[in-house]
Amino acid sequence: MSDDRAALLTILKTLSYEEGEFTLVSGKKSSFYIDAKETTLNPEGMYLVGRMMYRMAREIPGIEAVGGVSIGGDPLVSSVVLAAHLENDDLRGFLIRKEPKGHGTNRWVEGGKNLRKGMNVVILEDVVTTGGSSLKAIEAVEKEGYKVKGVIALLDRLDGGQEAIVSNGYIFKSIFTLKDVRAST
């Protein structure tokens, strides 16, 4: 494991992993919870996630922009776009609303003036469980006219998300899986 990956795993385990009784977005009950925002809003965590997700995005041919669902996706998109800029790369970023705001432009996607219709994009996720949130984000982005190539996650909970995303024709990559976090506890 690289030094950066090991450092990020330590931050994730220390700041984001909790045991107890939780209800997930999917409605499922869980004996643990991973609040990845604690990691992605930590200075070192944000830096490391940005660098790693940037590299992973660049491994997918033709990617021109990265986007994520607010609120969890905000620090991911920001850190990846900044990492790209530091590499003199013009990779663009956008944010996806959970629902259109109901006034003004009534858009799902924010940052559209940095994009063009038909661009190849990837969705960034903090934690993927069943893949439902990712597929909903993909649907919203594709309705806005962008071509989604795949999803990159900080953590895959190994609860069927990867399979759901891949079975719908998209690439799926994650920095860590639940096994990685549990192996280090």
Side-chain angles (χ1 to χ4, degrees), residues 86-97:
L86 293 173
E87 296 292 326
N88 294 314
D89 185 339
D90 195 30
L91 186 70
R92 303 300 174 105
F94 61 93
L95 299 175
I96 307 158
R97 291 181 170 278

Side-chain angles (χ1 to χ4, degrees), residues 156-174:
D156 179 1
R157 283 181 56 110
L158 302 173
D159 244 345
Q162 176 178 355
E163 294 80 4
I165 292 164
V166 170
S167 72
N168 277 279
Y170 302 99
I171 294 167
F172 180 82
K173 297 177 175 222
S174 67

Side-chain angles (χ1 to χ4, degrees), residues 1-12 44 48-49 51-52 55-56 154-155 174-181:
M1 182 181 304
S2 74
D3 290 345
D4 283 354
R5 194 165 183 273
L8 183 57
L9 183 58
T10 298
I11 294 167
L12 185 68
E44 183 181 9
L48 293 170
V49 167
R51 284 181 33 169
M52 287 181 208
R55 284 189 221 122
M56 293 168 86
L154 171 58
L155 181 97
S174 67
I175 297 173
F176 300 112
T177 68
L178 179 59
K179 288 180 185 175
D180 296 318
V181 174

Side-chain angles (χ1 to χ4, degrees), residues 15-35:
L15 297 180
S16 296
Y17 182 82
E18 290 182 56
E19 294 189 353
E21 291 187 30
F22 303 94
T23 302
L24 306 176
V25 171
S26 64
K28 294 174 84 174
K29 300 288 185 194
S30 178
S31 62
F32 67 94
Y33 184 68
I34 299 167
D35 184 356

Side-chain angles (χ1 to χ4, degrees), residues 1 15 18 25 34 41 64 74 127 134 137 139 148 157 169:
M1 182 181 304
L15 297 180
E18 290 182 56
V25 171
I34 299 167
L41 293 171
E64 300 168 277
D74 296 356
V127 178
S134 299
E139 181 181 359
V148 179
R157 283 181 56 110

